[in-house]
Amino acid sequence: MMTHDDNPLPASLEELGIDPEPAHGGSAEDRLLADLTEAQREAVVFGDGPLLVLAGPGSGKTRVITRRIAHLVHRGVPPWRICAVTFTNKAAGEMRARVGALLGIAGPDDAAPEPPRGLIVSTFHSLCARVLRRHVDLLDIPGLTPTYAIYDTTDQRALMKRIIKNNGMDTGNWSPRNVLGAISAAKNELTDAASYAQHAGEFYTRTIAKLYQLYERDLRRANAVDFDDLLMLTVKVLSSSEEARMSVSGRFSHLLIDEYQDTNRAQFVIASLIAQRDDGRRPNICVVGDPDQSIYGWRGADISNILEFEKHYPGATTIALGQSFRSTKRIIGTADTLIRHNTQRRHKDLFTERPEGEPIAVTHCIDERHEAQIVGSWLRSLREKHDLAWGEMAVFYRTNALSRTLEDEMRVTGTPYVIARGTAFYEREEVKDVLAYLRVIANPADDVSLRRIVNKPTRGVGSTTIARVDLLATQRGISLMEGLVEASRGVVEGVSQRAANALERFLTILGAWTGEGSFMGSDVSGSLSELIERVIVESGLETHYQKLAAKHAEAADEDKVENLYEVVAGAKQFEQEYDAGADIAQDPTVDPDGNAAEIPAPPLLAMLRAFLESVSLVADADAVDPTQGAVTLMTLHAAKGLEFPAVVIVGMEEGLLPHSRSRDSISELEEERRLLFVGVTRAMDHLMCTSARTRTHHGVSERTIRSQFFDELPEEHLEINDLAGGWGSGSQRARGWDEGAAIDDNEPRYVPDPEYTSAGALDAEGLPTVGSRVRHPQFGDGVVVAVVRGMDARAKIDFGRVGVKTLILRYARLEFLG
DNA sequence: ACCGGTGCTCTCTAT
DNA sequence: GAGCACCGGT
């Protein structure tokens, strides 16, 4: 058995390129420990065995992990035996950079210091993608090969939709979304299709079981895996193959996991399998997290992983970090008061030695546009009064839909902003098109991608032709691509000669890119970015989108052509990083002596695969970059792990935060509370929380009730501004709210937009304004509660005792009273 | 086969 | 307010 104790300890620090006694004062070890608190130091120097670090917000969690890694290396643990796992690529990148800085290994020229070679800092998903890529053949799943594609949510839905339809089922009754949700939950619990079917009793579960099995069958036919498979199949391969497990757990002697409170069952098992030791000693697993920041229960995260760590790893040491170095006393006090309302929780004292700070600005606004104005002017005032840079401010919201109004406000006022939606670029139509071509090149079995591109741009292969070929392929049990090859020869019944010719041309183009099946064979020269350029031009996508732009003359269409070339630019950058040996350094399958296994010069196909994989695993939070000098807009979920001097949390209303979907479960309500806790504790110095009295939701302007969480914040730390005219939920502290602090005269007040809320009963479009009174010949007098705009504009009207009616304005005989 | 218009439905969070 | 299915014209 190979364990690190059996290995000759390598490499003096000098050999590793690490200077053990740097010039600037003290030994390297002293320097690693110098500015740490007692508890932090304890966690950093802790020796062997399982370690749980319960780290409150801002308690120096990342610092502890990075110092601990550096300390391990100084203790003589070879860097390639250390594996650190995070949740986002950005967190992984930062951790790598910080370890590099601590160990002082200079990068090329002026580049940032690089971490020692062989040290793995990765996300769960990319670690699994690599392990799986390497060992997938050991699973012996027909159809699944190392060239597999990773299907994202959109791909999954497209596939599931077809499955449901082909089964003669109704996609309304059985929405792909819900079915996939059930399957995802099962996979997170490590329940595969076969065992799901075994335990399926009722009609509903039996149906899901059936769809699950068909879905798996089609995924394998397409040589594809979904996100959940990355984890579940890694568990499978690691637990079924000793060879696979040893390549990972035999290699690593130390495993560190960040944000452990957000791990699900699959991730828990993967961690155990990696940490497992074969010499009877306790595993060196160090997990860091905060149960109060567990916000991914809905995607299977199991808070008991962290709460019961000591049970899973007997004899584990626990260290609690409660001191915040981030937030002011008032912010910490507010967060603490809030989170104490959770009943299912392990309490830990939060405290800080930072100054008292400013009160939390609580502002109740009239509607979402007003709210956006208030937020905008608050941010501007911080810039003027406190000299904060745009990049030091962030606005958080519960749902992505809330960003629109904020964006409008930022644009109108010329405030630079970025939206932390890293995946947004790859979700654009034209970008998905290019990627679909690339995916088909890398994996011709990829059904979903092939369907997307076979007739885009249109080349005379319509839905009838595809349906014929699909039927043939299903009958013969071959892939759609193979079916297309048949059809192109003009021998498939029901496929016209015309369509066959079109297919022939399509396949010829594909063949030119792939070197006619030799697959990026030696005669296909060129780089990845050159390949992508060829694809954009030769596929006809460029011309297609150019024509579109010319036709519509809209900015959005102009951008599409540019976006195509953005993919090329992205690939160029990827090439450079890839060439820098990043892939080898990250490959966890380097042999246990730390010599990177001989890896041949990366052929184009391998690079393409790696590129597509990296694109698939981009996270929203990865897009956050404070140095851009712009206000960051993002969801509360994406905010996890970040900090900003100034933070605004908008949309604090019942149904939004806490979200309506959490209404009937205490544990879900408590997760909403933790979500707000995460938001509040991102703030270092300035914090604002807002609500709007009416909000447009699903195109309907509706009255809201302010969030119950307002009542759970400590009044003494708040500065309340009720700009919504004494609006309250009618509960708890209504009087207190109404007397809220006077409006600051410097604060621009809400200026009613005549087009939006005229003083009268109708707005410029002739639609009634919310709150205006109406008279109906039959129902009597009522108040407009909501308005639906559009072709057949409707209004929800409360007629008191008669109840709330929705009327189509075109037909309703209404008198508007103002 | 393709394209545009219309009307219906359903809206959370993410790797 | 967006995505999608359906339909009718070219």
Side-chain angles (χ1 to χ4, degrees), chain A residues 95-110:
Chain A
M95 197 171 286
R96 229 176 277 130
R98 284 175 71 164
V99 172
L102 285 171
L103 292 176
I105 299 175
D109 298 328
D110 291 334

Side-chain angles (χ1 to χ4, degrees), chain A residues 761-762 766-768 772-775 784 797 809 814-818:
Chain A
L762 296 180
L767 296 170
S772 62
R773 291 177 303 117
V774 299
R775 182 165 296 155
V784 177
I797 300 169
L809 293 168
L814 287 167
E815 209 186 326
F816 294 95
L817 307 176

Side-chain angles (χ1 to χ4, degrees), chain A residues 545-623:
Chain A
Y545 283 111
Q546 275 169 352
K547 276 187 195 155
L548 204 69
K551 198 153 131 196
H552 290 106
E554 279 175 34
D557 291 317
E558 301 266 345
D559 289 347
K560 292 192 171 189
V561 181
E562 277 179 36
N563 286 335
L564 294 176
Y565 285 96
E566 271 298 303
V567 179
V568 177
K572 274 201 180 119
Q573 196 182 338
F574 182 84
E575 276 168 9
Q576 285 174 2
E577 283 157 24
Y578 189 80
D579 283 345
D583 195 38
I584 297 168
Q586 283 197 38
D587 186 345
T589 55
V590 179
D591 75 52
D593 294 326
N595 308 313
E598 281 301 310
I599 294 181
L604 194 47
L605 178 60
M607 201 196 284
L608 174 58
R609 248 191 250 156
F611 175 68
L612 291 173
E613 180 179 296
S614 76
V615 162
S616 299
L617 299 177
V618 175
D620 287 351
D622 295 341

Side-chain angles (χ1 to χ4, degrees), chain A residues 48 70 88 122 135 139 182 263 283 311 313 315 487 511 605 617 630 704 710 778:
Chain A
D48 287 347
T88 64
S122 176
H135 297 294
L139 278 173
T263 51
K311 209 160 106 193
Y313 293 94
L605 178 60
L617 299 177
T704 68
F710 278 122
Q778 197 185 338

Side-chain angles (χ1 to χ4, degrees), chain A residues 432-469:
Chain A
K432 288 215 84 163
D433 289 343
V434 186
L435 292 177
Y437 273 97
L438 296 174
R439 285 163 60 157
V440 170
I441 291 171
N443 172 23
D446 186 339
D447 215 76
V448 171
S449 298
L450 181 55
R451 281 169 202 271
R452 184 183 182 96
I453 59 166
V454 67
N455 198 34
K456 187 159 191 184
T458 48
R459 45 173 74 88
V461 185
S463 52
T464 321
T465 304
I466 296 301
R468 294 280 181 189
V469 180

Side-chain angles (χ1 to χ4, degrees), chain A residues 228-298:
Chain A
D228 301 312
D229 282 335
L230 289 175
L231 304 179
M232 185 174 80
L233 293 178
T234 298
V235 169
K236 269 200 174 164
V237 78
L238 291 184
S239 49
S240 67
S241 155
E242 188 63 9
E243 179 193 339
R245 190 184 65 79
M246 280 310 295
S247 79
V248 184
S249 83
R251 170 177 169 190
F252 298 120
S253 63
H254 287 78
L255 176 64
L256 301 93
I257 304 176
D258 194 12
E259 308 281 12
Y260 194 66
Q261 76 280 353
D262 287 325
T263 51
N264 61 26
R265 167 109 196 122
Q267 288 159 328
F268 166 78
V269 174
I270 289 165
S272 333
L273 286 166
I274 296 178
Q276 188 180 324
R277 296 185 51 155
D278 301 293
D279 57 1
R281 297 201 197 189
R282 291 180 307 166
N284 296 321
I285 177 173
C286 166
V287 307
V288 186
D290 179 4
D292 288 336
Q293 294 182 59
S294 160
I295 54 174
Y296 285 106
W298 51 272

Side-chain angles (χ1 to χ4, degrees), chain A residues 634-697:
Chain A
M634 65 180 135
T635 63
L636 283 160
H637 283 91
K640 188 188 71 168
L642 307 173
E643 63 178 19
F644 296 88
V647 163
V648 184
I649 300 168
V650 300
M652 284 192 40
E653 294 134 36
E654 286 296 300
L656 215 44
L657 185 64
H659 197 271
S660 52
R661 297 284 281 258
S662 68
R663 210 161 273 170
D664 16 71
S665 124
I666 291 179
S667 62
E668 284 176 61
L669 178 74
E670 298 206 343
E671 182 154 312
E672 296 293 303
R673 195 177 277 114
R674 289 194 294 269
L675 195 51
L676 178 57
F677 176 80
V678 165
V680 166
T681 54
R682 299 309 94 196
M684 298 160 75
D685 301 307
H686 308 276
L687 176 64
M688 173 180 245
C689 300
T690 64
S691 65
R693 189 183 51 182
T694 61
R695 186 177 295 280
T696 314
H697 208 217

